Amino acid sequence: MSSSTEHEVAKPVSAKGALPEGAQNEAEAAEKVRDMFDSIAPSYDMLNHLLSGSMDRVWWWRAAKTFDYVLKQPDVRVLDLCCGTGDMTLALLKYRPKGGEKVIALDFSQQMLSRGVEKFRAAGYADAVEPIEADAMQIPLPDRSLDLIVSAFGFRNLANYDAALRELHRVLKPGGMLGILECNKPGGMLGKMYLQYFEHVLPWIGRRVSGDGSAYSYLPASVARFPQPPDMLNRMEHAHFYSVQWTPYTFGVAGLYQGIKA
């Protein structure tokens, strides 16, 4: 898609944000998502690798490599938004020079973030990360304070996608970069097979391993609800990001959205 300065940007038309079963408003949606991730935190990593065939590792490293030229600059400020247990943070740290600014790892699930902190320590990165327990809709950082924000498989769980994009725009410096790695619904026969797996096989495995059936029923519902790439790119332009683009990963099962703060 082209820059928002070149044409009138239409208002987004799809879902406003994540809406777990039983949630009546954005506050309830956020609370239910946080409780759900706190609940599944002990089995989260193992199930991620199992359910994706370990492709999640490939996607994290590929997304991080996209921004290697930014990450290699020691003075840049980087945020891993909705960091979960820290796998995207570790991928970003691979390209950070020793002694550079810390990568900020932010998540509102205390259980997920605490497991991430354990990972950072075990990998020798305890001094290279600044963990923050906070809501991605209200980032406790000043305006224009970040050079790069990356989010991996967490953005779709936010209660208001457009408000979240505006918040990310607020904390980015002019010219700052945004990367959102997310699941996607591919088309064609692959899409039909993927849908069958996502709606039937994945919840069954998740329920058997984690003991939480609702969490792994929510997952396919959240992907189905998330905007398709053209709409998501339009939302980014509407939030005043330019040079927006989407790069599909693994036949479009996932993909990386990119934009620059205007």
Side-chain angles (χ1 to χ4, degrees), residues 12-261:
V13 295
S14 65
K16 185 176 183 180
L19 191 66
E21 186 176 355
Q24 300 299 316
N25 52 51
E26 291 182 17
E28 289 184 7
E31 183 178 357
K32 284 181 176 294
V33 168
R34 181 173 56 243
D35 291 346
M36 178 186 66
F37 279 103
D38 277 340
S39 172
I40 64 174
S43 58
Y44 181 79
D45 285 343
M46 185 265 288
L47 275 169
N48 262 5
H49 304 327
L50 174 64
L51 295 172
S52 70
S54 288
M55 287 304 299
D56 54 340
R57 292 185 172 97
V58 176
W59 297 332
W60 290 321
W61 293 112
R62 183 175 174 185
K65 185 173 177 55
T66 300
F67 301 105
D68 64 347
Y69 63 99
V70 179
L71 294 164
K72 288 175 180 176
Q73 302 172 41
D75 58 341
V76 300
R77 294 276 286 164
V78 180
L79 168 65
D80 179 7
L81 185 81
C82 305
C83 68
T85 60
D87 288 298
M88 187 73 243
T89 310
L90 290 171
L92 296 170
L93 285 166
K94 176 182 178 182
Y95 297 100
R96 296 294 288 145
K98 189 174 181 180
E101 290 280 351
K102 292 182 178 181
V103 173
I104 302 168
L106 182 149
D107 203 282
F108 73 167
S109 166
Q110 192 275 332
Q111 293 297 318
M112 297 284 280
L113 187 60
S114 65
R115 281 165 172 76
V117 170
E118 292 174 5
K119 281 187 187 178
F120 306 146
R121 187 180 300 115
Y125 284 121
D127 295 332
V129 183
E130 180 183 349
I132 298 178
E133 183 181 340
D135 191 336
M137 303 295 294
Q138 296 178 316
I139 300 172
L141 295 172
D143 295 356
R144 301 180 296 279
S145 59
L146 298 172
D147 299 279
L148 171 65
I149 300 174
V150 180
S151 179
F153 307 114
F155 187 89
R156 75 174 183 281
N157 298 310
L158 300 180
N160 188 317
Y161 304 136
D162 297 323
L165 286 170
R166 291 193 296 271
E167 178 67 354
L168 301 186
H169 189 277
R170 178 187 70 80
V171 294
L172 277 171
K173 297 176 183 178
M177 302 190 69
L178 172 64
I180 299 174
L181 176 60
E182 264 302 348
C183 297
N184 179 57
K185 305 182 293 292
M189 184 57 66
L190 175 63
K192 294 179 180 178
M193 294 170 59
Y194 179 70
L195 187 64
Q196 288 295 311
Y197 170 75
F198 233 46
E199 290 186 347
H200 302 290
V201 179
L202 184 150
W204 183 84
I205 296 174
R207 184 165 52 249
R208 292 291 296 269
V209 175
S210 73
D212 190 332
S214 61
Y216 287 92
S217 295
Y218 163 80
L219 177 59
S222 70
V223 175
R225 186 177 176 82
F226 193 68
Q228 287 287 88
D231 186 27
M232 184 60 185
L233 293 172
N234 180 57
R235 288 170 182 268
M236 293 172 71
E237 290 192 328
H238 205 256
H240 304 293
F241 289 94
Y242 73 98
S243 294
V244 299
Q245 57 181 301
W246 180 70
T247 304
Y249 292 175
T250 316
F251 308 107
V253 168
L256 178 66
Y257 296 93
Q258 296 178 63
I260 302 173
K261 176 173 177 175

